[in-house]
Amino acid sequence: MRACPISCTAVKQQFSTCSRKPKDVNQMTRGNPCQLPGMLPNYDPNDNEAGMKILEDLTENVEQIQQRVLEEIITRNARTDYLKGFLDGQFDKQVFKKTVPVVNYEDIKPYIERIANGDSSNIISAEPIIELLTSSGTSGGQPKMMPSTAEDLHRKTFFYNLLVPVMNKYVDGLDEGKAMYLLFVKPETKTPSGLMARPVLTSYYKSNNFQNRPFNRFNVFTSPDETILCSDSKQSMYCQLLCGLVQRQEVLRVGAVFASAFLRAIKFLEDNWKELCSNIRTGHVSDWITDPGCRKVVSLVLNKPKPELADLIEHECSSKSWEGIIKKLWPRTKYIEVIVTGSMAQYVSTLEYYSGGLPLVSTMYASSECYFGINFKPLSKPWDVSYTLIPNMAYFEFLPVKEKNEDGAQYVQCNGVCKENCMEKETEKEDVETVELVDVKLGQYYELVVTTFTGLYRYRVGDILMVTGFHNKAPQFRFVHRRNVVLSIDTDKTSEEDLLKAVTKAKVIVESLGILLIEYTSYADTSSIPGHYVLFWELTSKGNNHLPVLDPKIMEQCCSTVEESLDSVYRRCRRKDNSIGPLEIRVVQHGTFDALMDFCVSQGSSVNQYKTPRCIKSGEAINILDSRVVARFFSQKAPFWELV
Ligand code: AMP
């Protein structure tokens, strides 16, 4: 989900004999010979002007394109088992919207599982499903899996290509140097039928579209592909940083997909700069870099001993303060490209500390289901970022969500209480009708629903968005939050229900010792890297109101039990990626949750309807809890995780 130097030459080779620039994307609705299958206009991605023209046309002709996208998806897939049940094999938008239900993952899971177990993919998609993309949401403790097709890789390539002219519009000279993008692949597995199951970015980086991308002078990386594709994340990180440091004078921008990953890289640098400098000084890669591909390419980049460069980097890194370190190590850097919207907003201040005032650029909004939107004003401040949905990516619908508070985007943090529940009820109503992309209203909140080219029909993505404006006729959306997610450090997304289940398992341990958990809440502590989950527990001895004597071993076991009970993405981040630190339980003194309630009521919560928030975001509320902490315990072992 980041700017990527992909040209659609691969697409051209596969599908097209035409090399003319499209004059008008509107021709997509009239069988333009320059159009690739799946509503993808064909153009030269090195041609900025052509790219901008495509974007202008796409955003001018939203209504026609959306109509055509739906028509194409339905016409192709009308005979799939799934749609056959609702449609009579014909395209009719009204019938589609009347009969095809708006669904959650649980509704489509049986189909996905059938495909994973060897059923033909045409039960949901006429195009063969070539792999399943493991998404960060979970179902029954396992990652959700989203279908993907060969054509979909080209759709992603098309999308990535469109990011280039947008960036070039705001930042000059991106062809005069390189990008130090720290990109990683994650573990992958196979389903019983032999389909690959892996995260969307791993799928993309391993694809031909990425690996055989044509040269694009606006998008040259410091990381050789071998270092990105290395499955050992430590070797990958080390080698990518080493290559980035060696080429520091050429680097014009730095980044990673998400803010959390970029900060992890800074922490890695803090822990390893001496060894990196030693490699640069000697021109020899450390022996523990055993991945043959990495060794080979990094040796080439290192080339020869560079003692002066090593001295310089050592000088910067040994400074007491790392404030502005990015600008010092990569002095030509113009911006940091990382997603800092949504749950990643919690990292903005830390990034600002390290960046030395560089702009933080969130280029795109995407998911395993589909790539959605582009930030047309990439230099805007993180809290002002909006994404324009690209109308040929999917057919978009919107479930209106009522926001009861007048203060709009504030609601998530309001009173330290997550007010999602009041929004949820609106969308759960069966009779709520969806709104089309062209009909959304400025200032309104909606939940995104997609019908994709890959076999998802009227699928609730779970993201709540707010309309902030329009680019031509295309609405722009601010990402507000993800439905049901209360805790997130990296790509993990823990819901209130997940947390309750995990806490319920852990509290059994103390209950057997006569200790009761009377209240709990949580927050994502990102003050250190990596961040970690913190649970505040108020405990009491059975039969009296006294704080029990706590055995650290037992409490550590509670921490581990919570971790073991969280979903597989959490456990992978914690065990494999090391992107989440050990979970902490902070035991608070008696009456702490009463103090929290008093605070929430003072902030406007109703006393009668007050429920303890299971996740706290307000700094003031966290202070109230923190000031009453009597003991802290950390998980002592990483939870079990295996590829499934
Ligand atoms: P996954 O399917 O695991 O790749 O996760 C996709 C989800 O990540 C989206 O549905 C959003 O909730 C979140 N996400 C992706 N891109 C952004 C973004 N630019 N800003 C905020 N949240 C995002």
Side-chain angles (χ1 to χ4, degrees):
M1 283 179 227
R2 49 151 308 285
C4 208
I6 313 301
S7 139
C8 71
T9 299
V11 189
K12 284 182 204 157
Q13 283 162 355
Q14 191 160 346
F15 290 118
S16 177
T17 51
C18 177
S19 59
R20 283 197 288 126
K21 268 190 216 168
K23 288 210 176 80
D24 180 356
V25 174
N26 205 14
Q27 289 172 2
M28 289 201 298
T29 58
R30 303 194 294 266
N32 172 16
C34 283
Q35 181 199 318
L36 304 171
M39 307 284 300
L40 300 174
N42 192 5
Y43 76 105
D44 175 4
N46 279 291
D47 184 341
N48 271 304
E49 215 186 299
M52 281 318 288
K53 167 114 178 67
I54 297 255
L55 278 172
E56 289 304 294
D57 287 347
L58 282 168
T59 50
E60 267 302 340
N61 301 294
V62 178
E63 191 166 5
Q64 302 90 312
I65 293 170
Q66 280 283 279
Q67 167 79 13
R68 181 76 182 83
V69 163
L70 183 61
E71 191 173 335
E72 174 123 359
I73 294 174
I74 302 304
T75 314
R76 280 184 190 187
N77 297 296
R79 284 183 189 76
T80 57
D81 284 9
Y82 188 86
L83 282 185
K84 236 179 4 202
F86 303 112
L87 305 172
D88 60 1
Q90 302 284 317
F91 169 70
D92 181 324
K93 187 158 97 182
Q94 294 322 321
V95 176
F96 172 79
K97 291 189 80 171
K98 217 167 151 191
T99 59
V100 178
V102 174
V103 292
N104 286 306
Y105 187 74
E106 295 308 316
D107 301 305
I108 57 156
K109 189 175 169 189
Y111 291 87
I112 303 282
E113 283 183 342
R114 275 168 65 189
I115 293 168
N117 289 322
D119 222 336
S120 159
S121 49
N122 66 22
I123 60 174
I124 57 167
S125 166
E127 278 277 306
I129 287 164
I130 56 165
E131 59 185 321
L132 293 171
L133 304 177
T134 50
S135 160
S136 51
T138 50
S139 166
Q142 297 308 324
K144 292 176 184 169
M145 292 196 284
M146 300 301 164
S148 180
T149 62
E151 184 193 279
D152 206 46
L153 286 168
H154 304 317
R155 188 163 291 103
K156 290 179 175 119
T157 299
F158 172 80
F159 186 97
Y160 281 127
N161 284 335
L162 289 180
L163 301 175
V164 178
V166 176
M167 230 38 249
N168 284 339
K169 184 173 165 194
Y170 290 94
V171 184
D172 287 334
L174 290 178
D175 55 343
E176 289 160 12
K178 297 187 179 179
M180 186 186 76
Y181 288 142
L182 305 164
L183 308 177
F184 303 93
V185 293
K186 300 244 157 106
E188 55 194 19
T189 183
K190 284 204 167 150
T191 69
S193 68
L195 278 183
M196 198 61 96
R198 52 192 176 187
V200 56
L201 294 170
T202 300
S203 147
Y204 194 74
Y205 301 149
K206 291 200 166 181
S207 72
N208 258 334
N209 291 46
F210 179 78
Q211 293 191 54
N212 295 327
R213 61 196 182 271
F215 177 78
N216 182 327
R217 66 197 165 95
F218 294 104
N219 242 331
V220 182
F221 290 179
T222 54
S223 295
D225 287 2
E226 289 81 351
T227 61
I228 294 171
L229 297 171
C230 173
S231 58
D232 179 325
S233 56
K234 194 168 170 208
Q235 293 191 49
S236 170
M237 176 77 88
Y238 187 91
C239 293
Q240 292 195 57
L241 282 171
L242 189 51
C243 292
L245 287 168
V246 170
Q247 300 170 79
R248 66 188 281 273
Q249 281 300 345
E250 291 174 75
V251 171
L252 299 183
R253 52 214 160 123
V254 299
V257 179
F258 290 111
S260 53
F262 190 72
L263 285 173
R264 214 158 59 243
I266 295 180
K267 175 78 169 60
F268 188 93
L269 186 59
E270 262 182 298
D271 294 342
N272 294 281
W273 61 266
K274 286 189 181 141
E275 185 177 343
L276 288 158
C277 285
S278 152
N279 287 186
I280 295 171
R281 186 177 303 287
T282 59
H284 178 84
V285 193
S286 293
D287 291 340
W288 65 271
I289 302 297
T290 49
D291 181 275
C294 281
R295 270 207 90 75
K296 191 167 153 212
V297 290
V298 177
S299 301
L300 286 174
V301 175
L302 266 182
N303 189 18
K304 58 176 188 208
K306 296 183 170 68
E308 279 167 19
L309 179 60
D311 284 347
L312 209 146
I313 296 169
E314 243 167 35
H315 173 75
E316 297 299 356
C317 291
S318 52
S319 156
K320 264 215 174 101
S321 162
W322 268 41
E323 189 167 358
I325 191 76
I326 303 294
K327 199 87 182 105
K328 291 178 189 161
L329 290 177
W330 293 280
R332 292 177 67 205
T333 305
K334 296 170 191 257
Y335 61 89
I336 302 183
E337 188 178 321
V338 279
I339 290 177
V340 281
T341 47
S343 63
M344 293 294 143
Q346 60 191 332
Y347 297 110
V348 168
S349 53
T350 317
L351 277 170
E352 281 172 343
Y353 173 81
Y354 288 118
S355 76
L358 291 166
L360 301 175
V361 172
S362 298
T363 55
M364 60 187 274
Y365 164 45
S367 78
S368 313
E369 292 89 332
C370 170
Y371 282 20
F372 306 122
I374 291 179
N375 175 2
F376 279 168
K377 292 200 179 125
L379 297 184
S380 50
K381 293 286 180 205
W383 49 89
D384 284 333
V385 169
S386 290
Y387 299 99
T388 304
L389 297 199
I390 303 301
N392 63 340
M393 288 291 118
Y395 177 66
F396 298 113
E397 292 174 85
F398 299 86
L399 280 168
V401 170
K402 265 257 174 63
E403 172 48 48
K404 292 185 176 160
N405 246 9
E406 284 310 308
D407 61 352
Q410 292 293 311
Y411 72 90
V412 176
Q413 297 193 9
C414 184
N415 305 336
V417 182
C418 203
K419 289 200 168 175
E420 288 161 55
N421 289 342
C422 60
M423 301 177 72
E424 282 308 292
K425 289 202 181 72
E426 293 300 317
T427 54
E428 296 298 348
K429 273 199 229 150
E430 292 206 339
D431 55 356
V432 173
E433 286 200 0
T434 61
V435 170
E436 301 212 355
L437 185 57
V438 282
D439 293 328
V440 297
K441 299 275 176 289
L442 192 66
Q444 295 289 305
Y445 291 80
Y446 298 96
E447 183 185 339
L448 181 61
V449 174
V450 288
T451 295
T452 67
F453 286 89
T454 54
L456 299 176
Y457 306 98
R458 311 196 82 197
Y459 178 83
R460 288 173 72 167
V461 173
D463 290 344
I464 310 294
L465 311 175
M466 186 185 83
V467 184
T468 53
F470 293 85
H471 182 92
N472 296 324
K473 302 213 173 72
Q476 300 180 298
F477 296 88
R478 179 166 306 154
F479 182 91
V480 179
H481 78 132
R482 192 172 168 96
R483 190 160 53 101
N484 287 337
V485 169
V486 290
L487 286 170
S488 176
I489 295 284
D490 190 29
T491 52
D492 54 307
K493 294 178 175 65
T494 296
S495 70
E496 197 169 313
E497 201 187 335
D498 297 333
L499 190 63
L500 173 65
K501 274 191 201 146
V503 169
T504 304
K505 278 199 187 150
K507 76 175 183 180
V508 171
I509 301 170
V510 286
E511 276 172 358
S512 66
L513 302 170
I515 298 170
L516 295 177
L517 173 65
I518 53 173
E519 269 299 4
Y520 75 92
T521 190
S522 66
Y523 92 106
D525 182 345
T526 54
S527 59
S528 55
I529 307 169
H532 69 288
Y533 287 14
V534 173
L535 303 184
F536 291 98
W537 277 20
E538 190 170 320
L539 296 169
T540 185
S541 300
K542 244 184 223 168
N544 64 48
N545 271 350
H546 298 142
L547 185 71
V549 178
L550 299 172
D551 176 347
K553 287 271 164 296
I554 296 286
M555 291 307 294
E556 284 161 11
Q557 203 187 329
C558 290
C559 296
S560 302
T561 303
V562 173
E563 293 201 298
E564 293 291 355
S565 313
L566 291 172
D567 71 38
S568 75
V569 179
Y570 175 91
R571 286 180 283 112
R572 190 198 63 211
C573 288
R574 172 81 172 87
R575 186 179 187 101
K576 177 89 181 127
D577 305 344
N578 290 321
S579 56
I580 301 181
L583 182 137
E584 179 184 0
I585 292 179
R586 294 183 192 164
V587 178
V588 290
Q589 69 194 35
H590 220 226
T592 299
F593 279 82
D594 292 339
L596 178 68
M597 180 175 80
D598 291 346
F599 170 73
C600 289
V601 170
S602 77
Q603 299 294 300
S605 286
S606 139
V607 188
N608 294 333
Q609 287 164 17
Y610 178 78
K611 282 193 291 168
T612 303
R614 293 304 171 206
C615 175
I616 299 287
K617 299 197 174 172
S618 128
E620 267 183 274
I622 292 167
N623 286 342
I624 287 170
L625 298 170
D626 259 342
S627 63
R628 291 165 171 81
V629 170
V630 291
R632 292 161 186 250
F633 305 95
F634 287 89
S635 168
Q636 296 298 313
K637 58 179 181 30
F640 175 76
W641 174 82
E642 67 172 6
L643 270 173
V644 281

